[in-house]
Amino acid sequence: LPSVAMLRATPLARTMGMSFRRAVVGRASFHASSTLRNIAEEDRPWYVVGIGMAEHLEALSKNMSAAEKKALAAGFTGRFIGEVDAAVAAEAPKNQQLADAMLKERAMAAASKVLDAAAQEPGAVKTPTGLVIQTVHEGTGESCMPGAEVTVHYTGSLAADGTVFDSSVKRGQPATFPVDHLIAGWQEGLKMMKVGGKAKMTIPSELGYGAAGAGPIPGDAILVFDVELIAAKNPCDSRAKRFSFFRWS
């Protein structure tokens, strides 16, 4: 469920293992690599480990030029083998700030394009907070009020590549939780829906999990949720139950 507090973080060791396996499977034709031909047979497992490590930088490098990627690789290699350029290292704080500023600016520009494109879809509305909500089916039931407990079916994916990170639909069971416990994008979007309605929410990272990310969601990720509002038990409804927690499952 889209709650900040109850997310399970993916262990680094498990992630590294997955990357290692993907690297092996996805690059079976090593004989075609001129770089690999210069690596001794007994050292080739470490080449594959390096590929797995590089996969962790893909999110960082997606907004970088080829020249910038080469500079990044050179810095990594220099530090790893103990051959760091002293002059460049002396300016490390300044250069780190410049790199952070460039990446942030590029990420914001890329995010703006994604949200603007989503806002152009038929029936979509972009709110002042940056949330884009597209009505797929208009509900006819009651509206969702602050403090409500909702039952929904949903599928959450990353706008960047469509990766599905959570889905009650896949589990075959609707989820029920308090609206006030959810990320800001969900809180705002649900209040714009009525029971029986379906909507697509495109949520900027500021209304989601921010720069830190959470669990399977990387930092600064734009999220897409397909949501069906099945029921809403508002505070005045005596049938409403109180929940102190819920899990990402």
Side-chain angles (χ1 to χ4, degrees):
L1 300 176
S3 163
V4 176
M6 303 306 298
L7 281 172
R8 294 195 302 264
T10 302
L12 177 60
R14 184 188 308 166
T15 306
M16 286 295 293
M18 292 172 60
S19 293
F20 183 90
R21 290 191 292 274
R22 285 199 302 268
V24 173
V25 174
R27 296 162 178 83
S29 301
F30 286 146
H31 65 276
S33 169
S34 60
T35 300
L36 191 62
R37 283 198 292 269
N38 296 325
I39 299 176
E41 186 73 29
E42 62 269 22
D43 295 330
R44 292 187 179 185
W46 298 109
Y47 177 80
V48 177
V49 171
I51 293 174
M53 293 175 68
E55 289 191 355
H56 289 276
L57 297 176
E58 286 182 346
L60 172 69
S61 65
K62 64 183 178 181
N63 293 320
M64 296 172 62
S65 67
E68 289 169 338
K69 291 179 182 179
K70 287 182 179 179
L72 175 65
F76 179 87
T77 302
R79 177 65 181 85
F80 192 70
I81 65 177
E83 296 180 359
V84 177
D85 187 302
V88 175
E91 298 181 344
K94 181 184 73 173
N95 287 321
Q96 182 66 59
Q97 290 178 357
L98 288 173
D100 290 344
M102 285 190 290
L103 289 174
K104 183 176 181 179
E105 181 179 351
R106 293 172 188 178
M108 290 176 63
S112 180
K113 289 182 179 180
V114 171
L115 293 170
D116 287 345
Q120 296 302 313
E121 295 183 12
V125 175
K126 187 175 183 180
T127 71
T129 64
L131 170 72
V132 177
I133 182 167
Q134 178 186 16
T135 299
V136 177
H137 175 74
E138 191 73 48
T140 57
E142 60 182 324
S143 298
C144 179
M145 298 172 58
E149 175 188 302
V150 294
T151 298
V152 297
H153 253 321
Y154 67 93
T155 296
S157 61
L158 303 179
D161 58 11
T163 298
V164 174
F165 55 82
D166 192 22
S167 176
S168 68
V169 177
K170 186 176 180 179
R171 291 191 295 274
Q173 183 176 359
T176 299
F177 42 77
V179 173
D180 292 349
H181 288 197
L182 304 179
I183 56 175
W186 265 70
Q187 292 189 39
E188 181 178 0
L190 285 172
K191 292 169 186 175
M192 299 173 68
M193 298 178 65
K194 292 184 177 181
V195 173
K198 296 181 180 180
K200 175 182 177 182
M201 301 181 197
T202 304
I203 302 176
S205 64
E206 295 84 359
L207 302 181
Y209 298 95
I217 301 172
D220 294 319
I222 297 176
L223 310 177
V224 177
F225 283 96
D226 294 302
V227 181
E228 177 186 3
L229 181 55
I230 298 172
K233 296 180 181 179
N234 289 311
C236 59
D237 190 338
S238 60
R239 296 169 299 169
K241 301 175 183 178
R242 293 187 178 275
F243 287 81
S244 60
F245 68 94
F246 56 87
R247 298 174 296 175
W248 184 290
S249 56

